[in-house]
Amino acid sequence: SVECIVYDDASTDDSREVLAGFGDRISVIEGPSVVRTASAGQANAIVRAFEQSAGDIVCLLDSDDAFMERKVAEVVRAFDASPGAVLVQHPFLEIDTANRRTGVQKPWLSATSPRQRLYSTNSFVGAFSQTSGLSFRRSFLDRVLPIPVDPFDKIWPDVRLSRLAVFWGDIVTVTIPLAEHR
């Protein structure tokens, strides 16, 4: 089964009314509007939603992005095919402010595993997706969350989690877009 948990950081638009329209099909966590930095706020949202979740696979989704219909099935399939995977990632199709596809796919992702890419090129360029293109195994997040408060708190939580994954297990890149990104 799929659970959907939304972290609302004190939105001032009609988000709460829209969320209420989903009834008990989603869980809503209401959080503070300002937590030191945007990165700290995003990290807080990830931790709070993770604590409330129960699934073995956790997919992240930013508020201005959308999953494609086959996203969850493809991510589950990738994890099932790679028992040692702690992260499954994929690219996006870019959308404009009217939610129309622009024809641009990003980020460019290498089919080579991030670990192998680092070994062969000394670079992570093209190795990782961003927030809504990342899905983690619960056992990995159990080990690395919460993200510690330290002098590096301006580094985005998705960057921290994806780079930590290199040290904890395999990373699988699905090369087809499974989300839309604005």
Side-chain angles (χ1 to χ4, degrees):
S1 82
V2 174
E3 61 184 332
C4 182
I5 301 170
V6 177
Y7 183 90
D8 177 19
D9 59 352
S11 58
T12 57
D13 58 11
D14 64 348
S15 294
R16 288 192 177 120
E17 291 79 24
V18 171
L19 293 170
F22 287 95
D24 62 359
R25 292 180 291 162
I26 64 170
S27 299
V28 178
I29 300 170
E30 294 186 14
S33 61
V34 178
V35 180
R36 282 191 340 228
T37 66
S39 290
Q42 185 184 37
N44 182 55
I46 291 169
V47 169
R48 297 267 319 275
F50 174 70
E51 290 170 346
Q52 187 169 321
S53 72
D56 291 329
I57 298 170
V58 177
C59 302
L60 304 181
L61 178 64
D62 276 341
S63 62
D64 56 348
D65 298 341
F67 288 169
M68 292 180 172
E69 189 174 313
R70 67 184 185 274
K71 156 92 178 200
V72 173
E74 291 290 336
V75 167
V76 169
R77 189 175 358 269
F79 273 115
D80 285 349
S82 298
V86 296
L87 166 61
V88 170
Q89 63 176 354
H90 61 79
F92 302 85
L93 293 178
E94 182 181 73
I95 56 174
D96 63 20
T97 55
N99 295 327
R100 291 182 304 244
R101 292 182 180 167
T102 65
V104 175
Q105 178 178 312
K106 54 187 207 178
W108 176 83
L109 291 174
S110 171
T112 306
S113 78
R115 186 179 300 121
Q116 185 58 44
R117 184 159 181 73
L118 179 63
Y119 291 152
S120 62
T121 67
N122 293 322
S123 172
F124 273 145
V125 174
F128 294 100
S129 192
Q130 58 204 52
T131 308
S132 301
L134 304 175
S135 299
F136 298 97
R137 198 173 296 276
R138 177 175 214 84
S139 58
F140 165 71
L141 294 177
D142 276 332
R143 294 180 192 135
V144 300
L145 289 179
I147 296 169
V149 176
D150 57 32
F152 306 107
D153 70 344
K154 292 191 187 319
I155 297 175
W156 301 294
D158 59 335
V159 172
R160 287 220 182 167
L161 293 172
S162 60
R163 284 16 171 227
L164 279 172
V166 170
F167 302 102
W168 289 91
D170 296 330
I171 297 172
V172 175
T173 300
V174 175
T175 56
I176 58 171
L178 295 176
E180 296 173 320
H181 171 69
R182 186 170 337 150

